[in-house]
Amino acid sequence: MWTSRLFYLIGCWIIILAITQLVPFFVALFLREWEAASGFFASISIVLLVGGSLYLGFRSSERVRMRKLTILLPIVGGICLAFAAGLPFFFLFPDAGLVPAFYEGMSLLTTTGASAYEGAVEEYRSLQLWRLLAAWLGGFMAICITLSLLTALNSGGLQLHRSALPYGDSDKGYPRLRATAQSLFPLYAFVTALCCLLLMFGGQSFGDAAMLAMAAISTTGISPNSGHVLSNGWVQFIVLVFSLIAIMNWDLHYARIKQLKVAGTFGEETRSLLIIAGLGTLVLYLLSGNYDIGSLWGSMFAAMSALATTGFQTQYDPGIGGALPVTIIIIVLTCIGGSVAGTSGGLKQLRVAVIYLLGRGEVDRLAHPHGVRLQKFDGGPVESKDIEAVWLLLGGFVFLFTIGALILAILGISFQEAVALTLSSMTLSAPLAGVIDHIFPASPVSGIATIYCYRF
């Protein structure tokens, strides 16, 4: 019974993705990129056929709410969408095979930013647009799944995040996912459009501004010219501001705009994010050795880029990839990431804040052995199940990182490259892999790390 519902929902997702591919298809026709247009047409035809078959075949399935469906929907759905998102690359570069195409689709939907076709996609403007559009949709999908399905499972202590979204009677499962998407998509699209408009004021063309805006909001780190250095000061400022907005909780943005009253402070993660960003900026600035305004701005941008897992840089590089202390700071900030309902990767501010609260509680217990202190987060109690969920996620992160690095090393990749590749995959920050290894290879083999530890 529940499997029929699963197939129906996956069919709906695939149809939506096929409709989205019409945008780069028409762009390819307009730009006379006939090979790319042919690839998109073949992909749309196959994806619509598969998605339509699932939709029509299981549309009469009964609506059910089961834990199995909640767990399998983001996993199976994500894998199917990755295949669908990578099909245009397969038809355009058939000699490379299906594995690189699947890796490309998975990398885009998880906003990782790595590519198996580095140097080959730049000549097709429509294909570059699809990369950013798919990553933009992947970022929005991650927000919705986090606030609905993963919160219902209390994955990594997510139930500590008390959302203000109006779910109505859709308190769990797919109905809550749909209610979340309907509430947040207008805001997500509006913020992206505003970012695009402001980038155009800085001299960017509409196409470059739109793609850079999608890169900033999704934190994928893919730029229109496939470079990661932003030389325009206005563009740097806009990207920094909107990257900060993107890695905050989007339901918090929604609550502020709608002026909703929320129990508790509803700002623990925001404060934690700003404090860590400030400390990261200060440390990078002190380590840079150049105490001028340019170095300060470069340090601030590098700290925010690491937290947002974008990999964008300025011309005022504070020594990224050079001195070991700077490299360590960038890696730590990347592993922390942004808020749980944002688009960045990493462990997220919520888990870092909970670990800090637990550490402070142990210190208080040493000072006051007989005292009783209730740990609170965002005005609510931190229960034992939440603590166990946080430690389970942290342990799983370390375990998967170790296994991933070992697997890649066994496959013949050097230890340094294996560590860089695994870390960038698990934190969804492929452009920052160069912090550890300057000769980071974008190989189809790297899909192994991305697939097993992808965002959900």
Side-chain angles (χ1 to χ4, degrees):
M1 184 70 68
W2 64 271
T3 55
S4 299
R5 190 63 179 173
L6 175 65
F7 291 144
Y8 168 77
L9 295 176
I10 292 176
C12 294
W13 287 12
I14 292 177
I15 291 175
I16 293 175
L17 189 68
I19 295 174
T20 307
Q21 288 186 1
L22 289 173
V23 176
F25 170 68
F26 286 119
V27 170
L29 290 178
F30 178 77
L31 297 177
R32 297 185 178 182
E33 297 176 348
W34 307 122
E35 293 182 354
S38 176
F40 280 114
F41 180 77
S43 174
I44 293 171
S45 301
I46 293 178
V47 173
L48 275 179
L49 178 63
V50 174
S53 299
L54 291 175
Y55 173 80
L56 294 175
F58 298 98
R59 61 178 176 175
S60 60
S61 60
E62 181 181 352
R63 295 185 178 183
V64 294
R65 296 182 180 180
M66 297 182 63
R67 189 176 182 85
K68 291 181 180 179
L69 182 61
T70 304
I71 295 174
L72 289 178
L73 181 58
I75 297 176
V76 179
I79 293 175
C80 293
L81 289 178
F83 271 113
L87 277 181
F89 300 92
F90 172 72
F91 288 114
L92 196 56
F93 308 104
D95 294 338
L98 187 59
V99 173
F102 174 58
Y103 163 64
E104 189 76 16
M106 184 67 73
S107 176
L108 294 177
L109 290 179
T110 57
T111 70
T112 304
S115 177
Y117 303 95
E118 201 70 41
V121 299
E122 287 76 12
E123 59 179 301
Y124 298 103
R125 191 72 169 172
S126 57
L127 204 58
Q128 192 74 335
L129 172 62
W130 172 240
R131 294 186 69 206
L132 286 160
L133 185 58
W136 184 75
L137 291 174
F140 178 71
M141 186 172 64
I143 297 171
C144 296
I145 290 180
T146 297
L147 291 173
S148 54
L149 303 181
L150 297 185
T151 299
L153 297 172
N154 197 24
S155 175
L158 281 177
Q159 289 184 0
L160 289 173
H161 177 75
R162 296 163 180 85
S163 179
L165 291 179
Y167 299 119
D169 58 353
S170 305
D171 58 343
K172 62 179 62 175
Y174 184 77
R176 180 167 180 169
L177 174 62
R178 183 173 55 190
T180 302
Q182 291 173 347
S183 299
L184 291 183
F185 186 77
L187 175 62
Y188 191 77
F190 172 77
V191 172
T192 305
L194 179 60
C195 180
C196 174
L197 182 62
L198 293 175
L199 287 172
M200 291 176 64
F201 287 156
Q204 299 287 307
S205 65
F206 172 74
D208 287 347
M211 288 192 282
L212 191 56
M214 288 188 285
I217 299 301
S218 66
T219 68
T220 185
I222 303 174
S223 65
N225 56 6
S226 298
H228 301 296
V229 178
L230 306 177
S231 56
N232 187 301
W234 175 257
V235 172
Q236 294 170 9
F237 175 74
I238 295 302
V239 168
L240 185 145
V241 170
F242 280 87
S243 294
L244 178 60
I245 294 174
I247 65 177
M248 290 182 178
N249 290 315
W250 281 84
D251 54 345
L252 174 59
H253 300 326
Y254 179 89
R256 287 174 174 171
I257 292 175
K258 294 292 185 178
Q259 298 181 345
L260 300 178
K261 294 183 179 180
V262 185
T265 58
F266 199 59
E268 292 288 343
E269 283 191 279
T270 301
R271 282 196 293 270
S272 173
L273 176 61
L274 295 177
I275 290 173
I276 292 177
L279 291 176
T281 299
L282 178 61
V283 174
L284 289 175
Y285 178 65
L286 295 176
L287 291 174
S288 67
N290 299 318
Y291 306 118
D292 54 15
I293 189 66
S295 181
L296 177 61
W297 173 250
S299 299
M300 181 185 301
F301 194 92
M304 184 55 60
S305 178
L307 284 171
T309 64
T310 61
F312 287 131
Q313 300 176 23
T314 70
Q315 66 270 35
Y316 304 104
D317 188 349
I320 295 179
L324 181 61
V326 175
T327 301
I328 293 175
I329 295 301
I330 294 296
I331 292 175
V332 170
L333 293 176
T334 303
C335 290
I336 293 175
S339 303
V340 291
T343 57
S344 70
L347 291 170
K348 305 294 187 175
Q349 296 290 329
L350 182 146
R351 285 108 190 191
V352 175
V354 170
I355 293 174
Y356 167 76
L357 290 175
L358 294 177
R360 190 179 67 179
E362 291 299 323
V363 173
D364 291 343
R365 185 178 301 177
L366 292 175
H368 308 284
H370 302 291
V372 178
R373 183 183 179 91
L374 178 64
Q375 299 292 349
K376 290 186 176 182
F377 183 85
D378 267 347
V382 180
E383 302 179 3
S384 58
K385 65 175 184 178
D386 302 317
I387 298 175
E388 292 174 359
V390 170
W391 283 116
L392 179 62
L393 184 140
L394 182 61
F397 183 91
V398 174
F399 175 76
L400 289 177
F401 172 77
T402 304
I403 297 298
L406 289 176
I407 291 177
L408 292 176
I410 292 173
L411 291 174
I413 298 178
S414 68
F415 175 75
Q416 187 175 1
E417 294 174 357
V419 170
L421 183 55
T422 307
L423 183 63
S424 64
S425 297
M426 296 192 67
T427 57
L428 308 177
S429 57
L432 288 172
V435 170
I436 305 175
D437 186 7
H438 287 290
I439 56 173
F440 164 66
S443 165
V445 163
S446 60
I448 297 175
T450 305
I451 291 169
Y452 83 77
C453 62
Y454 81 108
R455 183 185 287 270
F456 309 123

